[in-house]
Amino acid sequence: MFPDDESAEKWFASVRWPGGPACPHCRGSSVQSGAAHPSMPYRCRGCGQRFSVRTGSVSVRIGSVMADTKLGYRTWAVALFLLTTGIKGVSSMKLHRDLGISRKSAWHLAHRIRACRERDQGPFAGPVEADETYVGGKERNQHESKKARAGRGPVGKTPVAGARDRATNAVAARPLPGTAKGDLQGFVRARVAPGAQVRSDEAAAYAGMEEFPHEAVRHSGGEYVRGAAHTNGIESFRSLFKRGLYGTYHRMSVRHLGHYLTEFAGRRNDRDCDTAEQRRNGCGAWRGAWSAGR
């Protein structure tokens, strides 16, 4: 599908401008295509500015997803395909080898694609499954200078909350500063419509959400399903995320953990689409990033 840069550039243009090229500087639709310029094939007849598929919106200072890079369009297209269809993700080392670019370039390229998949999920109409987990290395494996020495279990790890809407099968997840009642209930309230049914485990932090009909299962007592009360769906997403963490990425820094969660949630939400739709959906999120200049 992408034998060269030209074919990939045409595909990106069709995704960014389904109705034809539009000027990112003045938003005019009177555009000359195929202008004689080595990198700016479009020229706006209204404001006279030249631009390309890479050019960002005039309303912001930073450029588009592909701005300020020398990587070819074909490299971006193949990277997009790999990151939207690889169920457990693709490491920057593999992108570096497959695309023939430096490891540093592959790392930045992958993070740009992840960041531009960020879309607010919700509000979920329910029933909604809510659960939390922890991401991070074990205390005993850390260097002596980095050990917190504050106990076992989640010490030194980052809490991650997740929610799954059973009606649409959509998933949302993000890191939290803690697992106190305010943190977990704040996450649920931000993504669940008032009145929707919520299912969780017996964690005390979920108790007291009066605006949601709430049922909990007692995992500590060996109860995992009680009628419609269970968290199996969101736990399945959590399991897949951790397989990608352990098997593909090996480590995720706190700074970028949210981007990785966005990547896995985006693929999970597109899993019923075919390969072409997954790639277009992943790039479809770029339309908002292009127009906003992210």
Side-chain angles (χ1 to χ4, degrees):
M1 185 174 180
F2 304 116
D4 49 36
D5 271 359
E6 183 180 358
S7 58
E9 182 180 7
K10 288 180 179 179
W11 184 80
F12 279 119
S14 70
V15 173
R16 182 176 185 181
W17 301 303
C23 178
H25 301 284
C26 69
R27 304 188 186 280
S29 58
S30 180
V31 174
Q32 172 192 355
S33 300
H37 192 279
S39 60
M40 301 288 184
Y42 303 101
R43 187 183 71 84
C44 177
R45 294 187 176 94
C47 65
Q49 293 284 344
R50 297 182 183 274
F51 60 95
S52 68
V53 179
R54 300 176 187 264
T55 306
S57 169
V58 71
S59 61
V60 291
R61 295 179 181 177
I62 52 179
S64 71
V65 181
M66 296 185 286
D68 302 323
T69 72
K70 296 182 180 180
L71 299 177
Y73 288 102
R74 185 175 184 269
T75 298
W76 282 94
V78 176
L80 178 66
F81 166 76
L82 294 173
L83 282 166
T84 54
T85 58
I87 191 170
K88 296 178 184 176
V90 181
S91 69
S92 59
M93 287 301 296
K94 180 168 175 55
L95 287 176
H96 144 68
R97 291 190 295 266
D98 290 352
L99 301 178
I101 59 179
S102 71
R103 189 261 179 190
K104 187 175 181 179
S105 294
W107 189 88
H108 282 282
L109 177 150
H111 269 301
R112 284 196 178 195
I113 294 175
R114 290 185 189 105
C116 291
R117 286 191 69 104
E118 290 182 0
R119 287 167 281 182
D120 291 333
Q121 293 292 340
F124 294 153
V128 176
E129 301 171 16
D131 196 21
E132 77 288 342
T133 187
Y134 294 89
V135 174
K138 296 179 180 179
E139 175 92 347
R140 68 171 180 263
N141 294 333
Q142 295 184 6
H143 190 275
E144 286 295 324
S145 63
K146 295 183 178 180
K147 289 184 177 180
R149 303 186 188 283
R152 298 184 298 175
V155 171
K157 298 184 179 182
T158 303
V160 170
R164 169 183 172 259
D165 185 8
R166 291 183 187 173
T168 62
N169 228 5
V171 165
R174 72 177 178 90
L176 296 179
T179 54
K181 181 173 291 189
D183 297 317
L184 290 177
Q185 292 193 10
F187 172 81
V188 172
R189 289 190 173 100
R191 284 158 182 78
V192 181
Q197 299 178 17
V198 174
R199 308 286 187 255
S200 72
D201 57 24
E202 75 274 30
Y206 292 110
M209 296 186 292
E210 298 179 355
E211 66 269 43
F212 307 114
H214 179 214
E215 285 188 82
V217 288
R218 293 182 62 252
H219 288 172
S220 60
E223 181 184 55
Y224 295 95
V225 179
R226 188 181 67 254
H230 63 81
T231 57
N232 293 345
I234 190 62
E235 288 176 5
S236 175
F237 168 75
R238 180 186 70 190
S239 176
L240 181 63
F241 171 74
K242 290 202 171 182
R243 288 307 95 201
L245 165 59
Y246 298 143
T248 300
Y249 296 114
H250 307 309
R251 177 182 178 274
M252 297 177 182
S253 68
V254 176
R255 178 182 177 184
H256 298 292
L257 179 56
H259 293 157
Y260 288 104
L261 288 167
T262 296
E263 172 195 352
F264 277 83
R267 275 198 302 268
R268 172 64 170 69
N269 295 337
D270 289 340
R271 70 176 185 174
D272 293 332
C273 303
D274 61 24
T275 300
E277 288 176 315
Q278 288 174 350
R279 186 174 60 247
R280 183 165 286 273
N281 287 346
C283 192
W286 292 25
R287 282 198 293 269
W290 264 319
S291 62
R294 281 175 51 190

